[in-house]
Amino acid sequence: MTGLLEGKIALVTGVANRWSIATGIARELHRHGAGIVLTYQGERVQAEVEKLARELDGRAYPCDVASDESLATLAASVQADCGRLDVLVHSIAFVNKEDLAGKVYTTTRAGFATAADISSYSLIALTHALIDVLADGASIMALTYFGSTSIVPNYNVAGIVKAALESTVRYLAYDLGERGIRVNAISAGPISTASSRQVKDFRKMLDKVAAAAPLRRNVTPEDVGRTAVYLASPLSAAVTADVHYVDAGYHAMGMYPEPASTT
Ligand code: 0WD
């Protein structure tokens, strides 16, 4: 089925390269008919993001969510060039590499503040900046991870700020519900990207999930993208304030099987 999102305009943040989860989401939204607007954090990723925007017949604008000025400029550009947004995808996180290993109690005040600013507060900042551009009935979604509610060694402060992000999703859903705007989170299973590889022993996480998840596999950006299509479309018209797991069922396991014997 294609055309589910015909006539809708979707802004997708967080494309860094072709492996980014946001790339899979943008491709799937486009495949189902949405017009695509991408943002890039800075010159380091500009060329890659502009290339994807051309491929998807879309546009690309700079946006650093740490800067209110950058967010205001983005809102003005979207207003002038697109008029409105029907879908907003937050696919952004940042945690200092030294805080993605070892003991969580060694996290510095500054490291915590940066992680919270870019990974949690940015959803509030982005929504506030774009509030007048978002159409009534729009769909907002943010990417999160299981380490928010369960202990995942080495994910550490990233899990703490994802908990804040998921709570933000619920409060925004309440604020914006009177305009028919829905706000949800997608909790993706581990996927190898530039960000996730910063987590110590990330490869081992991939192997563990593939072995233990009910579906016995890892997930892909395309898997996540197809759930984003559902959340962007009228198929999920009464679905808001929730966290949707796209993790091959891993989050539902309470006990893990013994590794298969090799003898
Ligand atoms: O296993 C994974 N990869 C999972 C990722 C499992 C579950 C959730 N997630 C989440 C991440 O926490 C994040 O919220 O998905 C989202 C996207 O992550 P990703 O696709 O794994 O990572 P990546 O391809 O690195 O994109 C994240 C991007 C940044 O990339 P780089 O590599 O350049 O740091 O977030 C963007 C940036 O493009 N970003 C910003 N964008 C605007 N302003 C900023 C900023 N200040 N900081 C980072």
Side-chain angles (χ1 to χ4, degrees):
M1 195 200 310
T2 51
L4 252 181
L5 304 179
E6 214 63 62
K8 290 192 188 291
I9 305 172
L11 186 146
V12 181
T13 64
V15 173
N17 53 48
R18 66 193 152 110
W19 294 283
S20 297
I21 295 175
T23 300
I25 293 174
R27 284 189 187 286
E28 289 300 317
L29 294 176
H30 176 256
R31 207 160 68 78
H32 288 267
I36 300 295
V37 179
L38 303 177
T39 64
Y40 54 90
Q41 187 192 351
E43 285 173 14
R44 184 172 56 87
V45 293
Q46 180 175 0
E48 192 84 17
V49 176
E50 287 180 341
K51 189 169 141 219
L52 181 65
R54 279 195 299 277
E55 217 182 293
L56 303 181
D57 298 320
R59 302 169 186 274
Y61 302 110
C63 174
D64 178 353
V65 293
S67 155
D68 290 335
E69 194 188 339
S70 174
L71 286 164
T73 305
L74 170 70
S77 303
V78 172
Q79 180 72 271
D81 298 342
C82 312
R84 62 161 218 288
L85 284 179
D86 304 291
V87 180
L88 172 59
V89 179
H90 176 284
S91 187
I92 291 170
F94 180 79
V95 176
N96 291 327
K97 185 166 183 176
E98 62 268 25
D99 293 332
L100 292 169
K103 305 294 188 196
V104 78
Y105 61 70
T106 63
T107 307
T108 60
R109 196 180 295 273
F112 190 102
T114 299
D117 185 23
I118 308 301
S119 311
S120 322
Y121 177 71
S122 60
L123 179 62
I124 294 178
L126 196 59
T127 303
H128 193 189
L130 295 171
I131 196 74
D132 294 332
V133 193
L134 284 164
D136 289 355
S139 174
I140 300 176
M141 60 196 90
L143 271 294
T144 187
Y145 177 61
F146 179 60
S148 60
T149 52
S150 295
I151 300 163
V152 175
N154 297 321
Y155 198 60
N156 295 2
V157 70
I160 295 168
V161 296
K162 285 298 192 198
L165 180 72
E166 290 172 20
S167 186
T168 301
V169 160
R170 290 186 284 273
Y171 280 95
L172 288 177
Y174 182 72
D175 279 359
L176 300 175
E178 59 196 8
R179 287 180 53 195
I181 297 176
R182 299 176 295 108
V183 189
N184 287 283
I186 299 178
S187 186
I191 296 173
S192 183
T193 64
S195 295
S196 62
R197 286 192 295 270
Q198 303 301 306
V199 181
K200 185 169 178 280
D201 292 336
F202 178 75
R203 295 261 161 217
K204 289 184 189 161
M205 283 169 64
L206 286 177
D207 293 343
K208 282 187 180 160
V209 168
L215 291 178
R216 312 297 203 278
R217 70 169 177 92
N218 285 122
V219 301
T220 65
E222 292 68 37
D223 288 319
V224 178
R226 285 187 281 271
T227 294
V229 170
Y230 157 74
L231 288 174
S233 82
L235 294 179
S236 58
V239 176
T240 193
D242 216 347
V243 178
H244 306 262
Y245 285 86
V246 181
D247 68 345
Y250 183 84
H251 70 284
M253 297 297 292
M255 193 176 286
Y256 303 100
E258 292 292 322
S261 167
T262 50
T263 53

